[in-house]
Amino acid sequence: MTLILSPLAALGRNTLAALAMLGRITLFALSTFSHILRPPFYPRELFNALMQVGWLSLPVVGLTAIFTGGALALQIYSGGARFNAEAVVPQIVAIGMVRELGPVLVGLMIAARVTSSIAAEIATMKVTEQIDALVTLSTHPMKYLVAPRVLAALITVPLLVGVGDIIGILGGYTVGVQNLGFNAATYIQNTVDFLEPLDIISSLVKGAVFGVIAAVMGCYYGMNSGRGAQGVGRATKGSVQAAAILILAANFVLTGVFFSV
């Protein structure tokens, strides 16, 4: 009997622990937005966060998008050839990049690069008692450390998604014209004609949500890290894992909201 109940008890404990953590993260996110809206503000911290999250992420986002767009064009052409549908390459590349691959890839790249960086930075500040020093100087850590980073992600990640969508489509265009023999003008015309405003809006909204998730996870795990180098390592690893899972889950929910039939 014990052998049967033990796994169920462990499952129940893990489920309750996961729900408790989800509740703490939700309260942390609500507190963050409350601090974003109320003064004092720290424009220098916000500018540094905009550079860190947006500008410095541009190269990795661009490279990821252009290779993905090119590979997507090759895959669609190869698969479409099985039922004489090679001509749909421009349309499928456009809708695939804008609706799904662009936002998801940018979100995961931000989770890998920015979330880990934020978590490691804040966790190190906690370990070295710099956060305690901020409190001593009457500076609220949520306002000084968390709010600028989350606001920067909310602003820049949708822009990165837009840039990633364009570069991904250009990658598909390059492969389509140079390797697959498509007419350049026809390829562009088919891409423009096929995309709808809802496709672009959903892509940007996903970018904003994914950016908030990535930044909140980095800040949450950093602010709640354990002591020592192991605590910093666990905070960094946990933040990236949680951000990636939540981004993919949010993508499923948002796709259902925008495109449910």
Side-chain angles (χ1 to χ4, degrees), residues 3 9 13 17 21 24 26 30 37 45 59 69 76 79 91 108 118 120 138 200 206 209 260:
L3 292 175
R13 283 194 300 272
M21 174 170 280
R24 289 194 295 272
T26 303
L30 293 175
L37 298 174
E45 289 300 312
I76 295 169
Q91 295 90 330
L108 294 179
I118 291 174
S138 301
I200 300 170
K206 284 183 177 182
V209 174
S260 60

Side-chain angles (χ1 to χ4, degrees), residues 167-210:
I167 294 176
I169 290 172
L170 285 176
Y173 165 84
T174 303
V175 170
V177 173
Q178 298 296 327
N179 296 51
L180 305 179
F182 281 84
N183 178 272
T186 304
Y187 191 104
I188 294 173
Q189 190 63 49
N190 286 338
T191 299
V192 173
D193 289 344
F194 196 71
L195 284 177
E196 297 179 353
L198 183 61
D199 300 328
I200 300 170
I201 292 171
S202 70
S203 186
L204 299 180
V205 170
K206 284 183 177 182
V209 174
F210 297 167

Side-chain angles (χ1 to χ4, degrees), residues 20 54 73 81 102 150 178 213 223 248 252:
V150 174
Q178 298 296 327
I213 289 173
M223 295 289 284
L248 294 175
F252 173 75

Side-chain angles (χ1 to χ4, degrees), residues 247-261:
I247 284 172
L248 294 175
N251 178 61
F252 173 75
V253 173
L254 290 172
T255 300
V257 170
F258 280 106
F259 303 108
S260 60
V261 293

